[in-house]
Amino acid sequence: MTDGELGVVLKTTPLRESDLLVVLYTITHGRVATVARGARKSQRRFAGALQLLVLGKYQLGRRPRGDLWGLDNAEVEREWTRLASDVFAVAHASYIAELVGALLPPEQPEPHVLDLIVALWESLAEGGPSPGALRSVELALFDVAGHRPALDACAACGAIDLDAGAVFDPSRGGAVCRRCAASSRGPAIRPIDSGTLGYLRAAAAAPSPSAARALDSDPAFLPADRAAGRDAFVAMAQSLVGKPLKSLEYIAKLGAARRQP
Ligand SMILES: [Zn+2]
């Protein structure tokens, strides 16, 4: 038994012969890098809690060196591991874990982030992978990271006229009006129309990932709005992280495989 702190695993990487490097997001420390000694040989001390889709209690020990903490033991508080058989659900959960790991600074706790991750898993358990739910979690994470994308007014000049000729420019912070778009440059910039902006605003207004599931079948939005909204937010994520996200490459491969006969 442990009286450790509530958290989730963002990533595990083999370390030396028998140890595991475990990146956690915990309620009191935020993102922390820990070393689970001997975890590659026996995970008994960690009781199934060193994996994605588990809300666990993690006992951090002394910091053996630098910015690494020891991970003494762990136990499962709640789990959603039955989702592991759904590759798309795992892909969504992995993407959000990678985004949290890459977007939020180490050891700056934002308790809301743990709620968001768990809310996404709840939504996945409730009805499977949902683009609407994923957009709402992405947006909330951009917000926590201090980069809430502009969707209501031009990110550059504040004009509220985004109806014609607007673009989505991640490096300038979101939607940019036609006039300012003339000075937007780069491969990440894409046109954005009022249907797509409406869809993303609706995702932003949804009170929870589960509530945002309704956007998947809302007749107010076209499939093209959902696809363009996804592309805009994915471009935002890539731009903020500054490098390709492995989980997104995996999702793209899954999508391509599904389209094959
Ligand atoms: Zn403008």
Side-chain angles (χ1 to χ4, degrees):
M1 274 313 220
T2 158
D3 49 30
E5 54 179 299
L6 218 49
V8 298
V9 170
L10 298 178
K11 188 182 180 187
T12 61
T13 316
L15 185 70
R16 295 184 291 264
E17 208 175 296
S18 58
D19 304 341
L20 208 54
L21 179 67
V22 183
V23 179
L24 298 169
Y25 199 91
T26 72
I27 201 153
T28 38
H29 288 88
R31 174 163 66 84
V32 283
T34 69
V35 177
R37 286 208 172 278
R40 292 181 69 196
K41 289 193 168 148
S42 163
Q43 293 218 354
R44 212 169 28 160
R45 273 187 301 140
F46 307 107
L50 299 189
Q51 54 182 325
L52 195 66
L53 299 167
V54 165
L55 178 68
K57 277 195 161 173
Y58 300 90
Q59 181 118 45
L60 302 185
R62 67 186 185 86
R63 310 184 73 151
R65 63 186 163 85
D67 52 2
L68 289 176
W69 294 71
L71 180 59
D72 291 346
N73 52 54
E75 65 181 11
V76 174
E77 186 81 3
R78 285 182 68 192
E79 57 159 312
W80 294 259
T81 50
R82 67 183 173 83
L83 291 170
S85 59
D86 178 342
V87 288
F88 286 94
V90 171
H92 282 202
S94 301
Y95 169 47
I96 292 305
E98 192 178 5
L99 202 52
V100 167
L103 207 54
L104 303 182
E107 305 197 21
Q108 289 186 26
E110 296 275 3
H112 178 52
V113 169
L114 205 55
D115 296 340
L116 271 173
I117 293 171
V118 167
L120 176 76
W121 296 350
E122 292 276 34
S123 162
L124 289 168
E126 193 181 301
S130 153
L134 201 57
R135 299 292 84 79
S136 90
V137 177
E138 276 171 324
L139 188 113
L141 289 176
F142 296 152
D143 201 9
V144 170
H147 297 283
R148 187 180 181 87
L151 300 172
D152 297 305
C154 172
C157 75
I160 54 165
D161 176 19
L162 294 173
D163 285 346
V167 299
F168 191 84
D169 183 344
S171 66
R172 292 172 92 177
V176 168
C177 75
R178 181 177 56 83
R179 198 179 306 189
C180 296
S183 51
S184 273
R185 297 274 182 282
I189 295 150
R190 65 204 63 237
I192 194 160
D193 63 20
S194 55
T196 304
L197 282 168
Y199 170 69
L200 292 176
R201 285 180 199 132
S208 68
S210 288
R213 303 183 70 85
L215 301 179
D216 298 344
S217 54
D218 188 330
F221 307 113
L222 301 171
D225 299 332
R226 296 186 188 93
R230 173 201 63 208
D231 291 347
F233 274 11
V234 161
M236 185 95 192
Q238 301 272 27
S239 166
L240 290 172
V241 170
K243 59 172 187 185
L245 289 154
K246 280 187 196 143
S247 51
L248 283 176
E249 288 167 10
Y250 179 64
I251 289 175
K253 273 185 207 154
L254 283 179
R258 190 159 63 165
R259 276 195 295 277
Q260 277 166 12

